[in-house]
Amino acid sequence: MSKSTTCSVSSFAIHIILLASIPFSVSQSSESDPLKDGSGDLVDQICKKTPFYDLCSSILHSNPLSPKADLKGMALVMVNNILANATDTLSYIEGLIKHTPDRELEQALAFCAESYIPVVKYILPQAADAINQGRFGFASYCISDAVKEVSSCDKKFSGSSSSSTQSPLGDRNDIVQKLVDVASAIIKLLVKS
């Protein structure tokens, strides 16, 4: 009889231990997952953690892949959106260079083109590859590098000796900068997860 009592006590003790550990493991997993806030829309959960919620939400909700995507997929959507915008901005810069009679403006635009070329050809494609490979730290580094390139273009105009050389790229650089900030926030969530 003592042997069966020991078995039922051991079984009872194991059940108590298991039941006591369930709430702990649930609360622990919600703390380690940066997206567990109780709401149902993953896009909204992600975008609330970025500096430009409306921009993030607009882009991710307009992409047909986003509702089915996970955090990694949404980071890729953002990086691809930045790439599309940066490519468009580079084409715009090249068009302005061809048609400007202002030598100082032409030089500033050429500098900006030289800043955008590596962003379009190397930096953002490397960021996308790194996300696909799960190398989120390197993807974050690439995004930071893209920010530096866009900022250097902005500074070329703000540091111009002539006040007549206003940046025709202000709005374009601003949107690329905001997109990069959103992507950076999403990639930081990936690094934490």
Side-chain angles (χ1 to χ4, degrees), residues 129-147:
D129 288 344
I131 291 168
N132 278 324
Q133 296 169 6
R135 297 173 40 221
F136 307 127
F138 184 68
S140 182
Y141 171 80
C142 290
I143 293 297
S144 296
D145 201 25
V147 168

PDB file of all heavy atoms in Angstrom, residues 129-147:
ATOM      1  N   ASP A 129      18.679  40.205 -48.582  1.00  0.00           N
ATOM      2  CA  ASP A 129      19.296  38.872 -48.491  1.00  0.00           C
ATOM      3  C   ASP A 129      19.554  38.488 -47.038  1.00  0.00           C
ATOM      4  O   ASP A 129      19.311  37.348 -46.639  1.00  0.00           O
ATOM      5  CB  ASP A 129      20.613  38.829 -49.275  1.00  0.00           C
ATOM      6  CG  ASP A 129      20.413  38.835 -50.780  1.00  0.00           C
ATOM      7  OD1 ASP A 129      19.271  38.570 -51.248  1.00  0.00           O
ATOM      8  OD2 ASP A 129      21.396  39.114 -51.496  1.00  0.00           O
ATOM      9  N   ALA A 130      20.029  39.438 -46.255  1.00  0.00           N
ATOM     10  CA  ALA A 130      20.314  39.156 -44.845  1.00  0.00           C
ATOM     11  C   ALA A 130      19.036  38.790 -44.093  1.00  0.00           C
ATOM     12  O   ALA A 130      19.036  37.868 -43.278  1.00  0.00           O
ATOM     13  CB  ALA A 130      20.995  40.364 -44.187  1.00  0.00           C
ATOM     14  N   ILE A 131      17.943  39.486 -44.378  1.00  0.00           N
ATOM     15  CA  ILE A 131      16.662  39.154 -43.731  1.00  0.00           C
ATOM     16  C   ILE A 131      16.243  37.740 -44.126  1.00  0.00           C
ATOM     17  O   ILE A 131      15.845  36.943 -43.274  1.00  0.00           O
ATOM     18  CB  ILE A 131      15.576  40.182 -44.088  1.00  0.00           C
ATOM     19  CG1 ILE A 131      15.904  41.535 -43.432  1.00  0.00           C
ATOM     20  CG2 ILE A 131      14.191  39.697 -43.647  1.00  0.00           C
ATOM     21  CD1 ILE A 131      15.067  42.695 -43.940  1.00  0.00           C
ATOM     22  N   ASN A 132      16.337  37.429 -45.409  1.00  0.00           N
ATOM     23  CA  ASN A 132      15.975  36.084 -45.886  1.00  0.00           C
ATOM     24  C   ASN A 132      16.800  34.999 -45.208  1.00  0.00           C
ATOM     25  O   ASN A 132      16.315  33.897 -44.969  1.00  0.00           O
ATOM     26  CB  ASN A 132      16.141  35.980 -47.406  1.00  0.00           C
ATOM     27  CG  ASN A 132      14.962  36.530 -48.147  1.00  0.00           C
ATOM     28  OD1 ASN A 132      13.818  36.398 -47.715  1.00  0.00           O
ATOM     29  ND2 ASN A 132      15.219  37.166 -49.281  1.00  0.00           N
ATOM     30  N   GLN A 133      18.058  35.316 -44.911  1.00  0.00           N
ATOM     31  CA  GLN A 133      18.961  34.340 -44.296  1.00  0.00           C
ATOM     32  C   GLN A 133      18.897  34.350 -42.766  1.00  0.00           C
ATOM     33  O   GLN A 133      19.605  33.597 -42.117  1.00  0.00           O
ATOM     34  CB  GLN A 133      20.400  34.615 -44.744  1.00  0.00           C
ATOM     35  CG  GLN A 133      20.624  34.434 -46.224  1.00  0.00           C
ATOM     36  CD  GLN A 133      21.973  34.971 -46.683  1.00  0.00           C
ATOM     37  OE1 GLN A 133      22.807  35.393 -45.881  1.00  0.00           O
ATOM     38  NE2 GLN A 133      22.189  34.958 -47.989  1.00  0.00           N
ATOM     39  N   GLY A 134      18.066  35.229 -42.207  1.00  0.00           N
ATOM     40  CA  GLY A 134      17.952  35.299 -40.750  1.00  0.00           C
ATOM     41  C   GLY A 134      19.107  36.037 -40.092  1.00  0.00           C
ATOM     42  O   GLY A 134      19.301  35.939 -38.887  1.00  0.00           O
ATOM     43  N   ARG A 135      19.864  36.795 -40.857  1.00  0.00           N
ATOM     44  CA  ARG A 135      20.999  37.574 -40.333  1.00  0.00           C
ATOM     45  C   ARG A 135      20.521  39.001 -40.070  1.00  0.00           C
ATOM     46  O   ARG A 135      20.868  39.942 -40.777  1.00  0.00           O
ATOM     47  CB  ARG A 135      22.147  37.526 -41.337  1.00  0.00           C
ATOM     48  CG  ARG A 135      22.674  36.113 -41.541  1.00  0.00           C
ATOM     49  CD  ARG A 135      23.701  35.966 -42.653  1.00  0.00           C
ATOM     50  NE  ARG A 135      24.657  37.052 -42.712  1.00  0.00           N
ATOM     51  CZ  ARG A 135      25.081  37.594 -43.858  1.00  0.00           C
ATOM     52  NH1 ARG A 135      24.617  37.170 -45.015  1.00  0.00           N
ATOM     53  NH2 ARG A 135      25.959  38.574 -43.841  1.00  0.00           N
ATOM     54  N   PHE A 136      19.701  39.134 -39.037  1.00  0.00           N
ATOM     55  CA  PHE A 136      19.010  40.395 -38.771  1.00  0.00           C
ATOM     56  C   PHE A 136      19.951  41.502 -38.312  1.00  0.00           C
ATOM     57  O   PHE A 136      19.720  42.670 -38.601  1.00  0.00           O
ATOM     58  CB  PHE A 136      17.874  40.174 -37.780  1.00  0.00           C
ATOM     59  CG  PHE A 136      16.940  39.077 -38.203  1.00  0.00           C
ATOM     60  CD1 PHE A 136      16.637  38.033 -37.340  1.00  0.00           C
ATOM     61  CD2 PHE A 136      16.382  39.066 -39.472  1.00  0.00           C
ATOM     62  CE1 PHE A 136      15.788  37.016 -37.733  1.00  0.00           C
ATOM     63  CE2 PHE A 136      15.520  38.050 -39.880  1.00  0.00           C
ATOM     64  CZ  PHE A 136      15.227  37.019 -39.006  1.00  0.00           C
ATOM     65  N   GLY A 137      21.018  41.151 -37.609  1.00  0.00           N
ATOM     66  CA  GLY A 137      21.999  42.146 -37.189  1.00  0.00           C
ATOM     67  C   GLY A 137      22.665  42.798 -38.402  1.00  0.00           C
ATOM     68  O   GLY A 137      22.844  44.019 -38.445  1.00  0.00           O
ATOM     69  N   PHE A 138      23.020  41.983 -39.393  1.00  0.00           N
ATOM     70  CA  PHE A 138      23.632  42.529 -40.606  1.00  0.00           C
ATOM     71  C   PHE A 138      22.616  43.347 -41.394  1.00  0.00           C
ATOM     72  O   PHE A 138      22.964  44.393 -41.956  1.00  0.00           O
ATOM     73  CB  PHE A 138      24.220  41.413 -41.478  1.00  0.00           C
ATOM     74  CG  PHE A 138      24.941  41.935 -42.693  1.00  0.00           C
ATOM     75  CD1 PHE A 138      26.129  42.640 -42.557  1.00  0.00           C
ATOM     76  CD2 PHE A 138      24.419  41.739 -43.955  1.00  0.00           C
ATOM     77  CE1 PHE A 138      26.796  43.150 -43.681  1.00  0.00           C
ATOM     78  CE2 PHE A 138      25.070  42.245 -45.080  1.00  0.00           C
ATOM     79  CZ  PHE A 138      26.263  42.951 -44.942  1.00  0.00           C
ATOM     80  N   ALA A 139      21.374  42.897 -41.428  1.00  0.00           N
ATOM     81  CA  ALA A 139      20.326  43.671 -42.112  1.00  0.00           C
ATOM     82  C   ALA A 139      20.184  45.041 -41.457  1.00  0.00           C
ATOM     83  O   ALA A 139      20.053  46.056 -42.156  1.00  0.00           O
ATOM     84  CB  ALA A 139      18.991  42.918 -42.070  1.00  0.00           C
ATOM     85  N   SER A 140      20.235  45.084 -40.141  1.00  0.00           N
ATOM     86  CA  SER A 140      20.151  46.350 -39.414  1.00  0.00           C
ATOM     87  C   SER A 140      21.328  47.256 -39.770  1.00  0.00           C
ATOM     88  O   SER A 140      21.165  48.462 -39.971  1.00  0.00           O
ATOM     89  CB  SER A 140      20.118  46.073 -37.908  1.00  0.00           C
ATOM     90  OG  SER A 140      19.991  47.264 -37.188  1.00  0.00           O
ATOM     91  N   TYR A 141      22.508  46.673 -39.875  1.00  0.00           N
ATOM     92  CA  TYR A 141      23.698  47.428 -40.269  1.00  0.00           C
ATOM     93  C   TYR A 141      23.516  48.014 -41.673  1.00  0.00           C
ATOM     94  O   TYR A 141      23.851  49.183 -41.912  1.00  0.00           O
ATOM     95  CB  TYR A 141      24.937  46.522 -40.225  1.00  0.00           C
ATOM     96  CG  TYR A 141      26.158  47.160 -40.815  1.00  0.00           C
ATOM     97  CD1 TYR A 141      26.914  48.078 -40.088  1.00  0.00           C
ATOM     98  CD2 TYR A 141      26.570  46.858 -42.116  1.00  0.00           C
ATOM     99  CE1 TYR A 141      28.029  48.684 -40.629  1.00  0.00           C
ATOM    100  CE2 TYR A 141      27.683  47.465 -42.666  1.00  0.00           C
ATOM    101  CZ  TYR A 141      28.412  48.373 -41.918  1.00  0.00           C
ATOM    102  OH  TYR A 141      29.512  48.978 -42.465  1.00  0.00           O
ATOM    103  N   CYS A 142      22.996  47.222 -42.606  1.00  0.00           N
ATOM    104  CA  CYS A 142      22.767  47.692 -43.974  1.00  0.00           C
ATOM    105  C   CYS A 142      21.784  48.863 -43.992  1.00  0.00           C
ATOM    106  O   CYS A 142      22.011  49.863 -44.684  1.00  0.00           O
ATOM    107  CB  CYS A 142      22.232  46.564 -44.854  1.00  0.00           C
ATOM    108  SG  CYS A 142      23.429  45.266 -45.212  1.00  0.00           S
ATOM    109  N   ILE A 143      20.723  48.744 -43.228  1.00  0.00           N
ATOM    110  CA  ILE A 143      19.722  49.815 -43.169  1.00  0.00           C
ATOM    111  C   ILE A 143      20.352  51.087 -42.606  1.00  0.00           C
ATOM    112  O   ILE A 143      20.114  52.193 -43.099  1.00  0.00           O
ATOM    113  CB  ILE A 143      18.503  49.372 -42.341  1.00  0.00           C
ATOM    114  CG1 ILE A 143      17.757  48.238 -43.063  1.00  0.00           C
ATOM    115  CG2 ILE A 143      17.564  50.530 -42.061  1.00  0.00           C
ATOM    116  CD1 ILE A 143      17.172  48.593 -44.403  1.00  0.00           C
ATOM    117  N   SER A 144      21.190  50.946 -41.582  1.00  0.00           N
ATOM    118  CA  SER A 144      21.883  52.115 -41.020  1.00  0.00           C
ATOM    119  C   SER A 144      22.793  52.761 -42.056  1.00  0.00           C
ATOM    120  O   SER A 144      22.910  53.991 -42.116  1.00  0.00           O
ATOM    121  CB  SER A 144      22.727  51.709 -39.804  1.00  0.00           C
ATOM    122  OG  SER A 144      21.908  51.245 -38.784  1.00  0.00           O
ATOM    123  N   ASP A 145      23.422  51.953 -42.873  1.00  0.00           N
ATOM    124  CA  ASP A 145      24.289  52.464 -43.929  1.00  0.00           C
ATOM    125  C   ASP A 145      23.473  53.229 -44.973  1.00  0.00           C
ATOM    126  O   ASP A 145      23.902  54.277 -45.458  1.00  0.00           O
ATOM    127  CB  ASP A 145      25.053  51.303 -44.580  1.00  0.00           C
ATOM    128  CG  ASP A 145      26.297  51.753 -45.307  1.00  0.00           C
ATOM    129  OD1 ASP A 145      26.858  52.812 -44.962  1.00  0.00           O
ATOM    130  OD2 ASP A 145      26.717  51.031 -46.229  1.00  0.00           O
ATOM    131  N   ALA A 146      22.284  52.729 -45.284  1.00  0.00           N
ATOM    132  CA  ALA A 146      21.403  53.420 -46.241  1.00  0.00           C
ATOM    133  C   ALA A 146      21.025  54.799 -45.702  1.00  0.00           C
ATOM    134  O   ALA A 146      20.988  55.777 -46.457  1.00  0.00           O
ATOM    135  CB  ALA A 146      20.157  52.579 -46.515  1.00  0.00           C
ATOM    136  N   VAL A 147      20.762  54.880 -44.405  1.00  0.00           N
ATOM    137  CA  VAL A 147      20.426  56.162 -43.773  1.00  0.00           C
ATOM    138  C   VAL A 147      21.567  57.156 -43.961  1.00  0.00           C
ATOM    139  O   VAL A 147      21.348  58.325 -44.295  1.00  0.00           O
ATOM    140  CB  VAL A 147      20.129  55.983 -42.262  1.00  0.00           C
ATOM    141  CG1 VAL A 147      20.065  57.315 -41.547  1.00  0.00           C
ATOM    142  CG2 VAL A 147      18.861  55.207 -42.049  1.00  0.00           C
TER     143      VAL A 147
END
